[in-house]
């Protein structure tokens, strides 16, 4: 699966979880993303960074939807958990997508681009 297909898959999954209200689906996506990160041999530091990055939006989402949401307490708790796990799903799916990218093709492309002559409009650029 190339990078474009993986990106489209992540975008489709993101759109799908944006319209569902399932805590279990979000937790499943988090677990699958963590397994992908483990298989790609990500460091423990990577997991720590992901947790640090996602903790503030997750706590913010939980508190705002739980304390200021509409409905009774069980509905607010459910929706707060949905939003909290959704943040984690987005963060970990993005990390799993980035950890499986092949960067060697991009290095070769950038190297070729750096050896190209300047475009015509750059030749007349006044420094």
């Amino acid at each position: 699966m190339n990078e474009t297909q993986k990106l489209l898959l992540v975008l489709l999954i993101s759109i799908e979880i944006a319209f569902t209200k399932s805590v279990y689906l979000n937790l499943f996506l988090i677990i699958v993303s963590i397994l992908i990160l483990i298989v790609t041999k990500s460091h423990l530091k990577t997991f720590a960074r992901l947790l640090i990055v996602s903790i503030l939006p997750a706590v913010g989402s939980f508190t705002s939807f739980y304390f200021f949401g509409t409905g009774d307490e069980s509905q607010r708790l459910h929706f707060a958990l949905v939003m909290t796990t959704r943040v984690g799903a987005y963060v970990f799916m993005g990390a799993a997508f980035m950890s499986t990218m092949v960067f060697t093709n991009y290095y070769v492309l950038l190297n070729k681009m750096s050896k190209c002559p300047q475009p015509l409009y750059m030749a007349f650029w006044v420094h």
Side-chain angles (χ1 to χ4, degrees), residues 4 9 18-19 25 27 33 35 38 58 63 67 75 79 104 111 126:
T4 306
L9 179 65
F19 293 110
L25 175 66
L27 289 174
S33 299
L35 289 175
I38 290 171
T63 55
F67 291 117
Q75 290 173 337
F79 198 63
T104 56
N111 192 17
V126 178

Side-chain angles (χ1 to χ4, degrees), residues 7-61:
L7 177 64
L8 288 175
L9 179 65
V10 168
L11 287 175
L12 276 169
I13 292 171
S14 297
I15 290 171
E16 198 274 326
I17 65 171
F19 293 110
T20 60
K21 296 178 182 175
S22 173
V23 176
Y24 296 118
L25 175 66
N26 294 339
L27 289 174
F28 174 75
L29 290 172
I30 291 170
I31 291 169
V32 168
S33 299
I34 289 174
L35 289 175
I36 290 172
L37 289 170
I38 290 171
V39 167
T40 58
K41 297 181 174 108
S42 294
H43 299 289
L44 190 59
K45 210 183 249 188
T46 303
F47 291 107
R49 286 180 185 153
L50 290 173
L51 287 175
I52 289 170
V53 165
S54 66
I55 195 77
L56 184 64
V59 169
S61 294

